[in-house]
Amino acid sequence: TSAYPLYAGLRSAIALQHEWGTIEERYAEICRLSKYLWQHLSEISHVECLRTSSPEAGLVSFRLTNGMPHKQLVDLLEKQGIMVRTILNPDCVRACVHYFTTEAEIDKLVGEIAIQLV
């Protein structure tokens, strides 16, 4: 049987996606925000981005070079309402942005990382 209430939710979700723009516009925004995050992370002492150029998608991975365990940073950020995750191979932290992520949210992430590494 079909779950018609779920169909209504799906239609609403698809309509919301279209309000953000075309597929190309949404992808361009993801790339712009990834670059924004990558650039700002690259400026933090004791943070090493895994890529040498900005990502082509919404995933930005980085390592800590001050000896702090990645899990410790992830746990501290979670207490601030910021969700990132550890990756085991390669050992790093991964942040994810989407087209609906705001620059203010990225600034909060970067700021909290900088505070934790002082």
Side-chain angles (χ1 to χ4, degrees):
T1 62
S2 298
Y4 291 103
L6 294 178
Y7 177 68
L10 176 62
R11 288 186 57 181
S12 294
I14 291 170
L16 179 64
Q17 303 310 303
H18 290 295
E19 288 178 23
W20 285 89
T22 65
I23 292 171
E24 293 80 10
E25 291 168 331
R26 295 189 311 253
Y27 175 70
E29 183 65 0
I30 291 169
C31 291
R32 185 187 74 77
L33 291 167
S34 293
K35 182 177 182 179
Y36 183 85
L37 174 57
W38 177 83
Q39 287 175 327
H40 285 77
L41 286 173
S42 298
E43 297 169 358
I44 300 175
S45 208
H46 304 297
V47 170
E48 174 189 88
C49 291
L50 295 188
R51 295 186 50 94
T52 57
S53 61
S54 61
E56 294 93 19
L59 303 177
V60 181
S61 299
F62 60 94
R63 290 188 179 115
L64 304 178
T65 60
N66 68 343
M68 176 189 274
H70 294 131
K71 174 100 170 76
Q72 181 180 346
L73 176 66
V74 169
D75 291 344
L76 290 167
L77 292 172
E78 185 175 346
K79 290 177 184 173
Q80 299 298 319
I82 300 170
M83 302 301 158
V84 295
R85 67 175 294 191
T86 57
I87 302 294
L88 297 178
N89 189 14
D91 184 23
C92 64
V93 177
R94 185 184 75 193
C96 180
V97 299
H98 212 283
Y99 55 84
F100 47 76
T101 302
T102 66
E103 287 183 9
E105 291 170 325
I106 293 171
D107 292 342
K108 180 180 178 184
L109 167 63
V110 171
E112 287 296 329
I113 292 171
I115 287 169
Q116 298 302 328
L117 299 180
V118 172

